[in-house]
């Protein structure tokens, strides 16, 4: 008889809650997130069929073109979360300000931050995209949250996760007790545990992930690291393949499963890098560390940074600890 247990994400979340002796609110938010992910996944799969491709003609707060599927994903997550009485506020990459739970609904003690659909420039190309999220506990006295609640250091995250809409849809989450991956079976509409207790391999499969077209804009230390990574004489250098999808969740997902190093450095054009600390770097850093990996901005551990703004950008180096330490030893000495 096949002894493998079949565990749905809902069952897993409830069992985690029992182990922690938690209240249930927290589990309900994760379960609602899994539900929203299924709805978004269905729509992503339909994107080539329905008249949803292309821009809406509007721009988000970063000045980038917003595509219809981003708006859809934003709306689904918001509507799955606004009325449950568990959140006090939310913050989304698509909104300039944080979003208090409306007065008509009860407010709770948790804060949800999310990037509803990352990598949206890839939608038209049938390249994998993703959703990223994190949960914090409210720290202010404001009933419906405040900016302070959304700008907590990543170390305060209670849970974080992402969904990758790839050749299959997967949801990966951590509530501070390891990292667990679930694959959506679309025929029954359930996320099933497929990757229990994920650890980032170290030593990794030798691959690095960076937009190397920007090499000339990088600092001398970053350029030196890249050159040495490929052909240096350190134990961690040489023998690499380059893998860059240009879709953060997918590039991170590969790095999580195979090990390696994902980089989005600062450069002459984007002195603070491109990725967002609150919505992208912090949740993925939490997951990387829970899986035995590491994440830095070049100098500092990502999770120790206190965000100054909701849409603050940061350089990001994330993956197998050995490689994150290696790049840190180059960039940390830059001065
Ligand atoms: P987005 O939030 O506007 O979709 O941009 C973020 C994306 C990431 O998914 C990806 O890692 C990065 O932009 C790629 O940027 P570049 O094209 O500069 O390499
Ligand atoms: Mg994004």
């Amino acid at each position: 008889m096949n002894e493998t247990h079949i565990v749905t994400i809902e069952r897993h979340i409830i069992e985690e809650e029992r182990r922690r002796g938690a209240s249930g609110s927290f589990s309900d938010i994760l379960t609602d997130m899994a539900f929203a992910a299924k709805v978004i996944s269905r729509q992503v799969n339909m994107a080539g069929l329905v008249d949803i491709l292309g821009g809406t003609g509007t721009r988000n707060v970063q000045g980038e073109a917003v595509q219809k599927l981003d708006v859809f994903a934003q709306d689904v997550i918001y509507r799955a979360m606004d009325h449950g009485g568990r959140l006090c506020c939310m913050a989304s990459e698509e909104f300039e300000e944080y979003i208090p739970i409306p007065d008509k609904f009860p407010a709770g003690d948790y804060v949800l931050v999310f990037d509803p659909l990352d990598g949206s420039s890839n939608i038209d190309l049938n390249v994998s995209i993703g959703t990223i999220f994190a949960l914090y506990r409210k720290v202010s006295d404001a009933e419906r949250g405040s900016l302070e609640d959304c700008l907590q250091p990543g170390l305060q995250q209670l849970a974080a996760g992402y969904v990758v809409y790839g050749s299959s849809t997967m949801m990966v989450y951590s509530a501070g007790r390891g990292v667990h991956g679930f694959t959506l079976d679309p025929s029954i509409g359930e996320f099933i545990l497929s990757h229990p207790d994920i650890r980032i391999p170290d030593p990794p499969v030798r691959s690095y992930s960076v937009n190397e077209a920007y090499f000339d804009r990088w600092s001398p230390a970053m350029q030196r690291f890249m050159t040495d990574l490929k052909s240096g004489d350190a134990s961690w250098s040489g023998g690499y393949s380059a893998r860059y999808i240009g879709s953060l969740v997918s590039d991170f997902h590969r790095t999580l499963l195979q090990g390696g190093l994902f980089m989005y450095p600062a450069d002459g054009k984007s002195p603070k890098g491109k990725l967002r600390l609150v919505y992208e770097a912090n949740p993925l850093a939490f997951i990387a560390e829970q899986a035995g990996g590491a994440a830095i901005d070049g100098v500092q551990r990502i999770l120790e940074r206190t965000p100054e703004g909701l849409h603050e950008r940061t350089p990001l180096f994330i993956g197998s600890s050995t490689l994150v330490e290696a790049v840190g030893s180059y960039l940390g000495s830059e001065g």
Side-chain angles (χ1 to χ4, degrees), residues 204-223:
V205 172
R206 292 205 167 198
S207 78
Y208 66 82
S209 188
V210 69
N211 193 335
E212 218 168 335
Y214 303 155
F215 185 93
D216 290 348
R217 297 190 216 150
W218 293 343
S219 68
M222 181 61 209
Q223 290 180 337

Side-chain angles (χ1 to χ4, degrees), residues 52-58 65-71 124:
I52 198 169
L53 296 179
T56 54
T58 52
V66 176
Q67 295 188 295
K68 283 182 182 171
L69 214 45
D70 304 38
V71 177
D124 289 357

Side-chain angles (χ1 to χ4, degrees), residues 101-303:
I101 294 298
D103 289 339
K104 62 182 172 186
F105 299 126
D109 287 332
Y110 294 96
V111 179
L112 177 73
V113 300
F114 60 98
D115 182 352
L117 210 57
D118 182 72
S120 47
S121 61
N122 291 308
I123 294 170
D124 289 357
L125 310 172
N126 207 357
V127 170
S128 300
I129 47 185
T131 296
I132 311 173
F133 65 92
L135 261 184
Y136 294 84
R137 191 182 293 280
K138 180 169 74 117
V139 287
S140 77
D141 294 334
E143 191 199 355
R144 281 158 206 280
S146 66
L147 190 56
E148 180 194 351
D149 294 310
C150 304
L151 297 182
Q152 300 184 53
L155 273 175
Q156 303 300 329
Q157 288 169 108
L158 301 171
Y162 64 83
V163 185
V164 57
Y165 310 99
S167 43
S168 59
T169 294
M170 271 192 77
M171 180 159 160
V172 175
Y173 88 97
S174 174
R177 293 171 53 94
V179 178
H180 311 284
F182 302 78
T183 302
L184 180 65
D185 180 337
S187 65
I188 55 169
E190 295 281 3
F191 279 108
I192 308 289
L193 181 63
S194 52
H195 296 65
D197 205 12
I198 300 170
R199 306 292 298 168
I200 298 189
D202 199 355
V205 172
R206 292 205 167 198
S207 78
Y208 66 82
S209 188
V210 69
N211 193 335
E212 218 168 335
Y214 303 155
F215 185 93
D216 290 348
R217 297 190 216 150
W218 293 343
S219 68
M222 181 61 209
Q223 290 180 337
R224 244 183 303 117
F225 172 72
M226 197 66 232
T227 306
D228 289 355
L229 183 70
K230 290 192 276 191
S231 55
D233 50 18
S235 59
W236 46 262
S237 64
Y240 281 83
S241 289
R243 292 282 183 273
Y244 191 70
I245 299 167
S247 189
L248 176 63
V249 173
S250 315
D251 281 316
F252 177 74
H253 186 63
R254 184 194 54 252
T255 306
L256 182 71
L257 296 185
Q258 294 199 331
L261 181 61
F262 172 87
M263 300 172 268
Y264 206 112
D267 64 45
K269 199 171 152 203
S270 312
K272 293 192 166 169
K274 177 181 184 187
L275 302 175
R276 290 78 168 174
L277 180 56
V278 172
Y279 309 108
E280 296 168 330
N282 265 335
L284 299 185
F286 183 81
I287 291 169
E289 289 201 5
Q290 281 290 320
I296 60 171
D297 64 5
V299 181
Q300 200 179 353
R301 186 179 168 204
I302 289 285
L303 295 182

